[in-house]
Amino acid sequence: MSWKESMEIIGEYVDRILTVEMRPHQFDVRGKIHLLYEYARKQVGVPSLSLLAAQKVLDRVKRDDTVLVVTGTGSKPFLPNGESDGPLGCASIARALALGLGAKPVFVVGENDVNGMKACARAIGLNVEDYQYRNTAMVLGFPSDAAAAEKRAAEILDRFNPTAMFSVETLGPNDKGVYHSVLGFDVTAHLPKLHTLFDKAQARGILTIAGIDGGNELGSGTITDGVRQIMPYGARCQCPCGGGNTCRVPADVVFPATTSNWALYGVVTMLAMLLKRPDLLQDVASEHRMLEACVA
């Protein structure tokens, strides 16, 4: 068996683990993730989305390159300080890129998500500073005002000139410009407008990889038809816009997983395999530290 065949087999089974159904019983979106994953995989015709993403990262990201890692779910009244799905996946991929490739991660997160992101980064072993250095990450807040977001996005891309951008559980707008929860409610007002950063990055040819779990996040625009067919509120939301909660923003690789964090854990796993660096994937103790720090 060739090395390529071995990686494809491993990647396929990693992806199976990451799409095991574990939705809370009160969510009426249970039983959908494996369908969304299969739709996304068939669109690109590969055995493993985690392997595809890892290969694209290795082709594009070099030593001392800046990579942007984004998340943003924090909004009042239910998530005034963000949530734990997003920061952990961001921290995991940032650590792997810093240790494995010598890249310099910059987290760009909603203003309500800053403290949680800093806590996760430190818990997994990254220094958090206001400058770039080895094994050091910067954390930048991003505005919820649309005009301010447009300006901030251009400033960030001009300043850092990144070669890749990762999104983990970053909510984005539908075709009508409305942000939705997974249950189809309008949550536009207080969320960071990070889709502006994604749009501008793609226009500049920057590699974009997104972990999703509901179809309302950045990257879901790659599989719009699938989200509309599979997810309960993909085609018809529960807010007056009536346009569904499917995010219109695509990515070069979109990875639906049981939680968005896990999608990036899959990418890290396959980076570790391809580089023969098992230390790039966090251990159980690191996972516990990140989760406790984020929740605290």
Side-chain angles (χ1 to χ4, degrees):
M1 182 180 296
S2 69
W3 171 254
K4 179 178 181 291
E5 291 171 328
S6 296
M7 290 300 98
E8 289 177 347
I9 291 170
I10 293 169
E12 182 176 357
Y13 280 92
V14 165
D15 290 8
R16 288 190 185 188
I17 292 170
L18 301 179
T19 51
V20 171
E21 181 63 69
M22 293 187 184
R23 289 281 184 171
H25 68 86
Q26 67 268 32
F27 275 33
D28 54 0
V29 293
R30 298 178 80 181
K32 307 296 184 183
I33 288 298
H34 69 289
L35 301 175
L36 208 58
Y37 171 85
E38 286 300 333
Y39 188 97
R41 187 173 71 152
K42 288 178 181 177
Q43 294 302 297
V44 289
V46 298
S48 165
L49 292 177
S50 58
L51 177 59
L52 173 65
Q55 289 171 329
K56 286 184 177 293
V57 169
L58 292 179
D59 288 343
R60 189 72 66 91
V61 179
K62 308 303 178 186
R63 186 171 188 83
D64 291 326
D65 282 357
T66 293
V67 293
L68 301 183
V69 188
V70 309
T71 191
T73 56
S75 63
K76 296 178 181 180
F78 303 112
L79 296 170
N81 299 296
E83 64 176 5
S84 57
D85 189 11
L88 278 74
C90 289
S92 180
I93 190 68
R95 175 183 177 274
L97 294 172
L99 296 183
L101 299 179
K104 296 176 179 177
V106 175
F107 300 109
V108 185
V109 302
E111 292 168 349
N112 292 327
D113 302 276
V114 168
N115 289 337
M117 189 67 257
K118 287 182 176 180
C120 283
R122 290 181 174 126
I124 205 172
L126 289 170
N127 295 315
V128 178
E129 304 292 350
D130 58 359
Y131 56 84
Q132 291 186 294
Y133 194 61
R134 61 178 179 270
N135 299 334
T136 296
M138 300 177 68
V139 180
L140 306 178
F142 200 83
S144 57
D145 176 77
E150 288 283 348
K151 180 180 178 182
R152 183 70 165 147
E155 290 173 348
I156 289 172
L157 293 176
D158 289 343
R159 176 183 176 185
F160 294 104
N161 192 28
T163 54
M165 182 172 172
F166 300 83
S167 171
V168 193
E169 186 68 6
T170 312
L171 302 193
N174 67 359
D175 289 334
K176 296 187 176 183
V178 181
Y179 284 59
H180 293 84
S181 69
V182 71
L183 297 179
F185 296 108
D186 183 351
V187 293
T188 306
H190 301 292
L191 285 175
K193 304 304 182 288
L194 281 159
H195 73 275
T196 58
L197 189 61
F198 229 63
D199 286 344
K200 292 181 187 300
Q202 290 173 325
R204 299 187 186 202
I206 296 167
L207 173 67
T208 53
I209 296 173
I212 70 169
D213 62 21
N216 57 331
E217 310 95 342
L218 299 184
S220 303
T222 313
I223 52 171
T224 299
D225 290 343
V227 176
R228 287 182 171 273
Q229 294 167 20
I230 295 166
M231 302 306 290
Y233 303 103
R236 180 75 183 182
C237 54
Q238 299 196 69
C239 88
C241 90
N245 70 348
T246 305
C247 176
R248 65 154 181 83
V249 181
D252 292 313
V253 181
V254 60
F255 189 163
T258 299
T259 72
S260 298
N261 283 336
W262 291 10
L264 273 291
Y265 292 175
V267 180
V268 172
T269 301
M270 295 316 296
L271 282 173
M273 291 296 302
L274 293 170
L275 294 171
K276 300 182 180 180
R277 288 281 307 273
D279 59 304
L280 297 187
L281 184 61
Q282 71 266 18
D283 58 16
V284 173
S286 297
E287 178 74 8
H288 283 178
R289 283 197 305 272
M290 282 200 298
L291 186 57
E292 290 175 351
C294 188
V295 172

